[in-house]
Amino acid sequence: MYKIMYLFVLLIYVTTALGQDNDLSFTKIQKSGVLKVCSQAGFIPFEVKDNKGNWKGFDVDIMQEFAKKYKLKLVMMDTTLDGLIPSLLTGKCDFIASGLTITEERQKAVLFSKPVYTVIVSAALLNTPENREKYKTFSDLDSVGTKIATHTGSAATLFLKSYLKKATHLQFDTESDEVNAVVQKRTTAFVEDNVFIAQAKKEMKIDFYTLFSNEKGDLAMAARKKDLKLIEKFNEFLDQIEKNGQYANIKKKYFN
């Protein structure tokens, strides 16, 4: 009996080891010399395209350093937020780097890296006396007649469905659309993370004030669940740049 159990355990161990050895996700990328990354441009300051079409941002810089370390050509692919995971799973790209929040639902579909940044779900409202009087805390937004703009497919959208049940939820395809909805007074507020709101206020010179929720989110890169080696190499890279100061420099550049 014990001998049978031993052989059974040994078989599981060997099968697992062979499965790991057969994971050629990182080897294939090295052979191709190209790292294809799906991202949605416009999520300030994580990924943005300038007037010449050049990619910039916190996530972009990290991926550039990762590609540089392994002498790969980085190809950024502009993808809608709700199209990121489908594009990854169908092989259009190798990685997602798009300020993607780790959620239980997403973990069922993709393999996340270690977190690269932590944000707070927040609401931006026009800084008017009327708004200041009516909306003093994030929970004050949960009222009949209050319209909230969110970005389709975002973690904030999923969070609000369970948190703000009385308010009316309006979803928009891009971050700029949800910002404009507030500026044009079609909605009371838009909900994103605190970093995006701060950058939007600064870049667009709009007089917003911010209400913070108690919901935090860890942002990370993502790969297909079978691509363990790729995530393993990326996590090793993250540990390295944290130790040598590169991560701190990139972070200071965008979140000073």
Side-chain angles (χ1 to χ4, degrees), residues 48-255:
V48 183
K49 283 199 290 187
D50 62 21
N51 294 332
K52 295 182 180 180
N54 298 315
W55 286 82
K56 298 179 180 179
F58 178 74
D59 287 342
V60 179
D61 281 14
I62 289 177
M63 296 312 300
Q64 284 175 339
E65 290 300 323
F66 180 60
K68 181 180 177 181
K69 175 179 173 62
Y70 291 103
K71 299 179 181 179
L72 302 171
K73 178 184 178 182
L74 178 65
V75 176
M76 300 293 296
M77 306 174 69
D78 201 354
T79 313
T80 60
L81 181 60
D82 56 354
L84 289 171
I85 292 178
S87 294
L88 175 70
L89 298 182
T90 55
K92 293 180 181 179
C93 55
D94 308 303
F95 242 117
I96 294 175
S98 193
L100 201 64
T101 306
I102 299 173
T103 67
E104 289 185 13
E105 192 65 27
R106 287 171 178 168
Q107 283 179 316
K108 295 176 183 177
V110 300
L111 184 63
F112 280 102
S113 70
K114 294 180 178 179
V116 296
Y117 201 82
T118 300
V119 295
I120 303 171
V121 176
S122 307
L125 301 83
L126 291 177
N127 191 14
T128 65
E130 295 79 11
N131 280 344
R132 285 283 190 180
E133 178 64 27
K134 187 174 181 179
Y135 305 104
K136 296 178 181 179
T137 66
F138 192 88
S139 59
D140 289 339
L141 294 169
D142 193 20
S143 59
V144 176
T146 299
K147 295 180 179 180
I148 308 295
T150 57
H151 186 191
T152 303
S154 69
T157 300
L158 300 175
F159 166 68
L160 290 182
K161 286 181 180 179
S162 60
Y163 191 84
L164 301 181
K165 297 182 179 180
K166 296 178 183 178
T168 300
H169 300 252
L170 300 175
Q171 296 185 33
F172 295 85
D173 291 335
T174 68
E175 286 89 354
S176 60
D177 287 341
E178 62 181 352
V179 173
N180 288 332
V182 174
V183 173
Q184 296 166 5
K185 298 183 179 180
R186 290 182 285 129
T187 63
T188 304
F190 74 84
V191 174
E192 277 291 348
D193 65 70
N194 59 311
V195 176
F196 176 81
I197 291 173
Q199 286 292 122
K201 180 178 179 180
K202 177 182 176 182
E203 298 289 335
M204 303 176 75
K205 296 180 173 59
I206 302 171
D207 190 13
F208 286 133
Y209 78 96
T210 306
L211 299 175
F212 301 95
S213 75
N214 294 322
E215 181 75 4
K216 291 184 178 182
D218 287 326
L219 310 185
M221 312 312 186
R224 288 176 285 274
K225 290 182 79 72
K226 64 179 182 178
D227 293 349
L228 299 172
K229 291 290 185 182
L230 179 56
I231 286 293
E232 181 183 307
K233 288 293 183 182
F234 184 76
N235 284 339
E236 289 175 359
F237 161 76
L238 281 181
D239 290 338
Q240 181 185 42
I241 64 172
E242 285 180 357
K243 290 178 181 178
N244 66 22
Q246 279 183 296
Y247 175 84
N249 290 335
I250 295 173
K251 184 178 178 181
K252 183 178 181 181
K253 179 179 177 182
Y254 294 101
F255 307 107

Side-chain angles (χ1 to χ4, degrees), residues 37-51:
V37 177
C38 284
S39 186
Q40 184 187 28
F43 189 41
I44 304 171
F46 294 95
E47 36 272 329
V48 183
K49 283 199 290 187
D50 62 21
N51 294 332

